[in-house]
Amino acid sequence: MRIHSINIQNFRKLLQCHIDFSEKNTLFVGANNSGKTSAMDSLGKFLADRNFTFNDITISKRVDINKIGEGWTQENCDEPTDLLEWESLVPQMDIWLDVSNSEMHYVAGIMPTLKLRGGKLGVRLAFFPKNISKLFAEYREAYFAARKTEKAKGKVDINLYPKDLCEFLERNLNTCFSMKAFILDPIQSNKDVPQTTPFEMECFTDNPLKGIIKVDMIDAQRGFADPDSSDSSEQAKRQLSDQMRSYYDKHLDPEKSPSPEDLDILKATEDAKKAFDKNLAIKFAPAIRELEGLGYPGVADPRLTIVTKMTTGEALKHDSAVQYALSKNDDTLKLPEKYNGLGYQNLISMVFDLMRFRDDWMREGKAKRALENDNPVIEPLHLVLVEEPEAHLHVQVQQVFIRKAYDVLTNHKFIKENEHFDTQLVISTHSSHIARETNFADLRYFKRLSEGSEGNIATSKVINLSEVFGKGDETDKFVTRYLQTTHCDLFFADAAILVEGSVENMLLPHFIRNKYPELYQRYISILSINGRHSHRLNPLLEKLCLPTLVIADLDTAEKEGHHKAAFPERDKGLISSNYTIAGWIVGEKDLDKLLAIPPNKKEIVKEGTCKYSIRIAYQMPVTINYNGTDEEALASTFEDCLVYTNFQLFKDMSIDDTGSLIKNVSDKIKKASSFDEFHKGVYDALRDGKSDQKAEFALDLIYAVDPGELTVPAYIAEGLEWLQSYLKPEE
């Protein structure tokens, strides 16, 4: 049995949100404030009985809630009798389960029909008013009492509580609202729009999924504090020793349901207690005799004695119960757990939590009898939620955790031998390193939708990345391999910039840092990808709705034959051999026409649920003052355009590294006797340079000059200015 998908409605910014679950690991990714935490909290509140607050209701629904309140305060208003008008306002979650025919006995109590023989089974959990008539009466009473008091004072500029229904609910939400559950129609499970609440069906006032799904959650670990910190919050005090004590009390304590093997330790503890009590009686005897000399105890008073309480569990109740050995050869070199690094504290804590969740689920150890009395049936599905596991962890540890977490949760003989007992792990993260270690098909991307996309507030939608490309498609293989080895930070970015090669990749961050301060403050993912492969990312960019600047090379070539590379010149019938330009964004390959295309024709605007644009930037003519005369230089690649743009800087450069590409270029400039010789010489030098020399070119340039001194090539400057303007917040 597994969770197939969930639909969340009216929960914070998740106005209408569908999330598909993977069989094992599901990873929530997305930029800050995209809704990942909201999704995790909704699972905790709907499935793990965490309390709701009024702010959990999508803020755009407050207007409609207050309209209900306004109607209720009319003098001749009829008392409401049903929940229908609240259906579109309250937080709801539809949980769809995949249930096999052999698992139907687990869900017998919530089957919509006895004819169901496996398949999808849906349950709607909705946070409705407990008693609509009682809520109506209590609100009217409070509202009219406040208005009466206001009138008694005459003209006073004050609005007493409750001024509206929202304010009333803000204080009384959990006393007036509760969870209600409804069984959904499996026939409508594949509809894009969630089905209406079947009020005519049986309504469950308790969560019918209890006993079917066990839910455990690790919140974001922000509470591991410095050992000398003055922070006394509960989060800051959370230590592994506390977890160890809890685990011991539940699963290992020999005083609970003792077995024969526990008798030796219980006897040893009792013997130690007797010896300690005897020693205390001897040590305290002088003080007690002195007390007796003062007249206590009298004839009728009880005699004073000293008795210890010694249990096995008491031995773990101290701050240094968990220690770390610093030497393999000296057992005395130990430190308390709080002095271990924050990252390892977090890692150990999370892994121990996972083990505890698993053993609780499996009724392991001493907990078996207590848990079986409370719930004798082991739930067939274990759902574990982990929020931001990357806190304090360096990259390698993050990757180890995500690779091993599911194995820890399922490392139990019973789970391995019983196929009907399943575990699903859901993780939310901001870490590209964790995303990189996760199968592409298991990623769920949270996209922020701007105000006006759905309603009058910013909301979120979730994209199932397993559906971006066709299954087994070559593009799918390429992109997933590429992203998993390079740029999973794409899923956390505000925008993307696609570049051709290593030189652009090295220098572009310098351009942004030094010339575009507003853009520098944004989360920009720069992807170095060969021009002939850039278009393969288009389906992903469309799904992510990610504003993208593509910086491409013209790659001028002969029109006929095999499109041999050619020195760029006007009126020679040359073309661009770059598919990104000719086949994807611009749709034109003629060089002369490309040079004449205005900036507004270089942008593709994508309309839909979320609007975004893809804009291309490629080399444009560079005007060079050569020996007092303005000359036009045409560039074919980033490197030659950079040289033409910074002609004087390269001319004045002093390079001693014989054989390096940057020296060859500089020498061509210095030795040229004419503009044409200089123009062609730079092209030839760069074209003849090997691919590894291109990277050296960038490194040598950064070493020779401050990148801030470089003039940004005009075509790149134009593209970066467009992106900066695109991402600028609206006034």
Side-chain angles (χ1 to χ4, degrees):
M1 184 184 303
R2 299 185 185 277
I3 296 177
H4 175 275
S5 61
I6 61 172
N7 285 298
I8 306 169
Q9 301 177 68
N10 308 324
F11 186 87
R12 300 181 192 171
K13 64 169 50 184
L14 305 179
L15 183 65
Q16 174 61 270
C17 174
H18 176 89
I19 306 175
D20 292 307
F21 278 43
S22 295
E23 288 190 2
K24 295 180 179 180
N25 295 297
T26 304
L27 196 70
F28 293 172
V29 298
N32 287 323
N33 204 31
S34 61
K36 302 187 299 297
T37 297
S38 294
M40 296 294 280
D41 285 347
S42 71
L43 287 164
K45 296 192 177 192
F46 280 106
L47 297 178
D49 295 331
R50 295 191 171 189
N51 285 334
F52 282 82
T53 68
F54 184 73
N55 287 327
D56 290 331
I57 301 173
T58 300
I59 195 169
S60 62
K61 301 299 180 180
R62 295 185 183 185
V63 174
D64 294 323
I65 291 174
N66 280 333
K67 284 182 180 178
I68 293 175
E70 291 171 6
W72 286 1
T73 57
Q74 301 302 311
E75 188 171 342
N76 298 318
C77 176
D78 294 330
E79 181 180 297
T81 58
D82 58 51
L83 299 171
L84 188 61
E85 64 181 340
W86 289 89
E87 182 183 18
S88 62
L89 307 178
V90 299
Q92 302 179 40
M93 178 180 286
D94 295 352
I95 302 97
W96 288 98
L97 302 173
D98 277 330
V99 185
S100 67
N101 188 35
S102 58
E103 297 170 327
M104 297 306 296
H105 60 284
Y106 290 113
V107 296
I110 57 173
M111 289 169 52
T113 172
L114 294 175
K115 295 181 179 180
L116 189 66
R117 293 293 182 267
K120 285 186 183 179
L121 183 65
V123 174
R124 172 165 294 168
L125 301 175
F127 199 59
F128 276 117
K130 290 181 182 179
N131 186 315
I132 193 67
S133 298
K134 185 179 179 181
L135 174 61
F136 171 81
E138 290 179 351
Y139 175 65
R140 281 176 60 91
E141 181 182 0
Y143 181 85
F144 288 124
R147 305 292 82 78
K148 184 178 180 181
T149 303
E150 290 172 354
K151 289 180 181 179
K153 281 288 186 179
K155 291 185 177 181
V156 179
D157 190 16
I158 187 173
N159 291 317
L160 295 178
Y161 164 86
K163 65 178 185 292
D164 52 42
L165 183 55
C166 283
E167 188 175 60
F168 181 81
L169 293 179
E170 194 168 3
R171 291 191 187 183
N172 302 282
L173 186 69
N174 284 289
T175 58
C176 297
F177 279 57
S178 65
M179 195 73 68
K180 299 183 186 295
F182 303 86
I183 308 305
L184 299 173
D185 182 4
I187 298 175
Q188 303 182 53
S189 64
N190 293 321
K191 288 188 175 181
D192 294 333
V193 179
Q195 58 189 272
T196 58
T197 302
F199 290 111
E200 71 281 0
M201 302 288 288
E202 180 182 1
C203 173
F204 296 83
T205 54
D206 292 325
N207 187 346
L209 296 176
K210 287 183 177 179
I212 298 174
I213 306 176
K214 179 179 178 5
V215 182
D216 288 302
M217 189 169 185
I218 301 178
D219 294 308
Q221 301 300 302
R222 305 182 179 99
F224 287 103
D226 185 283
D228 301 315
S229 171
S230 59
D231 187 357
S232 60
S233 67
E234 288 301 313
Q235 277 282 64
K237 292 179 179 178
R238 188 177 186 272
Q239 295 181 344
L240 183 59
S241 54
D242 299 322
Q243 296 173 274
M244 291 282 191
R245 286 196 293 272
S246 177
Y247 187 89
Y248 179 88
D249 290 341
K250 197 171 210 179
H251 298 284
L252 304 177
D253 191 349
E255 296 183 8
K256 296 179 179 179
S257 305
S259 59
E261 55 266 27
D262 293 326
L263 296 180
D264 288 343
I265 186 64
L266 291 174
K267 185 178 185 305
T269 304
E270 183 63 25
D271 290 345
K273 179 181 179 302
K274 289 179 179 179
F276 196 25
D277 286 349
K278 184 177 179 180
N279 182 267
L280 287 176
I282 296 171
K283 298 290 186 183
F284 275 98
I288 292 174
R289 284 196 297 270
E290 185 176 349
L291 185 62
E292 289 175 345
L294 299 175
Y296 184 90
V299 176
D301 297 316
R303 186 169 296 276
L304 183 67
T305 60
I306 307 296
V307 180
T308 61
K309 179 183 179 182
M310 186 176 292
T311 65
T312 55
E314 293 291 323
L316 290 174
K317 292 185 178 180
H318 59 92
D319 290 339
S320 297
V322 176
Q323 297 185 345
Y324 295 98
L326 303 180
S327 173
K328 296 180 179 179
N329 304 317
D330 190 345
D331 291 339
T332 66
L333 298 177
K334 298 177 181 178
L335 284 175
E337 64 162 314
K338 65 181 182 179
Y339 287 97
N340 199 25
L342 295 180
Y344 283 108
Q345 287 188 52
N346 191 20
L347 176 65
I348 295 170
S349 175
M350 289 191 296
V351 172
F352 199 86
D353 272 337
L354 298 180
M355 293 190 296
R356 177 170 57 84
F357 296 160
R358 177 199 65 208
D359 290 349
D360 285 355
W361 180 39
M362 290 290 103
R363 317 293 199 262
E364 195 63 43
K366 303 295 180 179
K368 183 175 183 179
R369 184 176 297 177
L371 289 172
E372 284 185 345
N373 289 336
D374 182 56
N375 185 6
V377 180
I378 297 178
E379 301 88 343
L381 178 58
H382 188 199
L383 177 64
V384 180
L385 312 171
V386 182
E387 186 179 7
E388 299 178 21
E390 64 269 17
H392 310 300
L393 302 186
H394 64 71
V395 172
Q396 288 80 4
V397 178
Q398 293 179 36
Q399 293 171 331
V400 168
F401 174 80
I402 193 64
R403 286 198 297 265
K404 298 295 184 181
Y406 190 83
D407 292 339
V408 171
L409 285 171
T410 55
N411 186 27
H412 194 281
K413 183 179 179 182
F414 182 85
I415 301 173
K416 294 176 180 178
E417 294 178 350
N418 292 269
E419 62 180 12
H420 296 317
F421 290 83
D422 293 302
T423 299
Q424 287 179 283
L425 175 63
V426 179
I427 296 174
S428 71
T429 185
H430 295 101
S431 170
S432 60
H433 308 290
I434 288 178
R436 186 176 300 168
E437 292 297 319
T438 306
N439 289 329
F440 192 77
D442 295 332
L443 300 179
R444 302 294 179 266
Y445 176 72
F446 283 71
K447 173 66 182 179
R448 294 180 301 212
L449 302 181
S450 61
E451 183 176 335
S453 299
E454 292 185 18
N456 56 357
I457 61 165
T459 56
S460 299
K461 67 177 293 186
V462 180
I463 299 157
N464 183 349
L465 295 185
S466 68
E467 300 174 350
V468 174
F469 309 101
K471 296 187 183 291
D473 185 270
E474 290 300 318
T475 297
D476 178 32
K477 293 178 183 177
F478 167 77
V479 174
T480 54
R481 291 168 184 168
Y482 173 76
L483 291 175
Q484 285 189 322
T485 56
T486 52
H487 287 286
C488 277
D489 59 339
L490 186 69
F491 303 124
F492 310 96
D494 295 320
I497 301 177
L498 309 186
V499 300
E500 292 271 332
S502 57
V503 182
E504 298 100 309
N505 199 31
M506 289 184 197
L507 292 178
L508 198 62
H510 292 284
F511 294 161
I512 295 173
R513 183 183 298 111
N514 293 305
K515 311 290 186 181
Y516 303 92
E518 292 183 16
L519 195 59
Y520 185 58
Q521 298 176 27
R522 302 292 176 186
Y523 300 102
I524 309 296
S525 181
I526 302 175
L527 287 75
S528 178
I529 187 165
N530 188 284
R532 59 196 178 113
H533 289 300
S534 294
H535 65 283
R536 297 187 184 278
L537 288 176
N538 187 38
L540 178 61
L541 297 174
E542 286 186 349
K543 282 290 186 180
L544 302 185
C545 300
L546 200 64
T548 303
L549 172 64
V550 182
I551 298 176
D553 288 339
L554 274 172
D555 293 330
T556 52
E558 296 175 355
K559 186 175 183 179
E560 306 300 329
H562 297 288
H563 305 313
K564 181 181 177 182
F567 175 67
E569 296 178 276
R570 292 183 184 270
D571 305 320
K572 297 291 185 180
L574 300 178
I575 64 169
S576 170
S577 63
N578 193 322
Y579 183 84
T580 299
I581 300 172
W584 176 23
I585 299 178
V586 181
E588 176 61 66
K589 62 182 180 180
D590 183 272
L591 176 63
D592 296 309
K593 292 181 180 179
L594 288 171
L595 295 177
I597 289 177
N600 65 322
K601 298 295 185 181
K602 298 176 182 178
E603 179 182 355
I604 300 175
V605 179
K606 300 284 188 176
E607 303 280 358
T609 305
C610 48
K611 182 179 177 182
Y612 76 103
S613 292
I614 299 177
R615 208 271 196 192
I616 195 166
Y618 54 82
Q619 291 80 26
M620 301 303 292
V622 180
T623 300
I624 300 176
N625 186 281
Y626 193 88
N627 294 336
T629 303
D630 287 343
E631 302 281 359
E632 180 187 75
L634 297 183
S636 181
T637 66
F638 170 76
E639 290 86 2
D640 56 352
C641 193
L642 183 70
V643 174
Y644 301 148
T645 304
N646 295 273
F647 163 71
Q648 196 62 47
L649 186 147
F650 277 88
K651 184 179 180 180
D652 298 338
M653 196 176 290
S654 179
I655 305 292
D656 297 326
D657 187 7
T658 303
S660 69
L661 184 57
I662 195 169
K663 180 173 174 55
N664 291 343
V665 170
S666 183
D667 288 346
K668 290 285 186 183
I669 298 174
K670 293 172 182 176
K671 294 176 182 179
S673 59
S674 66
F675 172 79
D676 290 340
E677 185 180 346
F678 147 73
H679 190 192
K680 185 67 163 56
V682 170
Y683 172 85
D684 290 337
L686 290 167
R687 173 145 184 89
D688 293 340
K690 298 178 181 178
S691 58
D692 59 340
Q693 286 185 300
K694 295 289 184 71
E696 289 181 7
F697 178 87
L699 292 171
D700 289 341
L701 184 59
I702 293 172
Y703 180 78
V705 300
D706 182 347
E709 297 177 16
L710 292 171
T711 299
V712 181
Y715 76 100
I716 293 180
E718 189 180 86
L720 293 177
E721 287 166 3
W722 168 84
L723 188 60
Q724 183 169 258
S725 176
Y726 192 96
L727 296 177
K728 188 176 182 179
E730 295 183 1
E731 301 292 339

